[in-house]
Amino acid sequence: MEFQKDNTFVTGRMKSMTYAFQGAVKLITTEHSIMVQFSIGILMTIAGFYFGITKTEWLFQTLAIGLVVSVEGLNTAVEKIADFIHPNYHERIGFIKDIAAGAVFFAAMTAIAIGLIIYIPILF
C-alpha cells in the first residue's frame, strides 16, 4: 500500500495536525523525561494561577514551558533516530546524543531563570 499525500489545504493541514497531536500524546505517555518536564509545566501553570502572575509573566512562562518541552521532544527524536541507526554504543553517536541533551540543558536553564525572575519577588 502506497502512502498518498493529501495536497488539499484544509484536509492536508487537518491530517498534519492529527499526526502532530498523536506524536505529542506518544511523547507525553511514553518518555519519562517528557513526563517530568510536562509535569513541571503543569505545576508552574498552577503556580501562575495561584500567585496571579501578570500577562507579561504568563507570556514568558508559557514560552519557557513550550521551549523546554519542544526541545526535549527534539532530543528524544534525535536519540530514537541514533539508536535506530546504531543500536550498540558508538562514540560518535554518543557525542551526537550528548549535544542534543545539551540543548535541553540550555532550554531548562533558561526556563529556571525565567521562573526565578517571576517567582522570587512574589515569594520574598
Side-chain angles (χ1 to χ4, degrees), residues 33-56:
S33 57
I34 290 286
M35 290 176 195
V36 170
Q37 300 292 359
F38 191 73
S39 297
I40 292 170
I42 290 171
L43 290 174
M44 295 312 296
T45 301
I46 292 167
F49 283 115
Y50 180 80
F51 291 112
I53 62 177
T54 68
K55 185 185 291 187
T56 302

Side-chain angles (χ1 to χ4, degrees), residues 5 14 22 36 43 48 54 63 76 81 91-92 105 119:
K5 184 174 181 180
M14 295 287 283
Q22 290 172 349
V36 170
L43 290 174
T54 68
L63 181 64
T76 299
I81 290 169
E91 187 176 332
R92 291 191 344 208
F105 176 79
Y119 290 103

Side-chain angles (χ1 to χ4, degrees), residues 19-74:
Y19 295 137
F21 180 77
Q22 290 172 349
V25 170
K26 286 178 187 173
L27 206 51
I28 292 169
T29 58
T30 63
E31 297 300 318
H32 294 288
S33 57
I34 290 286
M35 290 176 195
V36 170
Q37 300 292 359
F38 191 73
S39 297
I40 292 170
I42 290 171
L43 290 174
M44 295 312 296
T45 301
I46 292 167
F49 283 115
Y50 180 80
F51 291 112
I53 62 177
T54 68
K55 185 185 291 187
T56 302
E57 291 168 335
W58 272 115
L59 291 171
F60 280 106
Q61 179 170 292
T62 303
L63 181 64
I65 292 167
L67 174 71
V68 171
V69 174
S70 297
V71 174
E72 187 71 63
L74 291 172

Side-chain angles (χ1 to χ4, degrees), residues 75-97:
N75 176 53
T76 299
V78 167
E79 288 182 355
K80 297 290 184 191
I81 290 169
D83 290 344
F84 179 76
I85 292 170
H86 205 292
N88 298 321
Y89 176 78
H90 189 279
E91 187 176 332
R92 291 191 344 208
I93 293 289
F95 182 78
I96 292 165
K97 290 167 83 172

Side-chain angles (χ1 to χ4, degrees), residues 37 68 71-72 75 98-112:
Q37 300 292 359
V68 171
V71 174
E72 187 71 63
N75 176 53
D98 288 347
I99 290 171
V104 176
F105 176 79
F106 285 128
M109 292 300 105
T110 301
I112 288 170

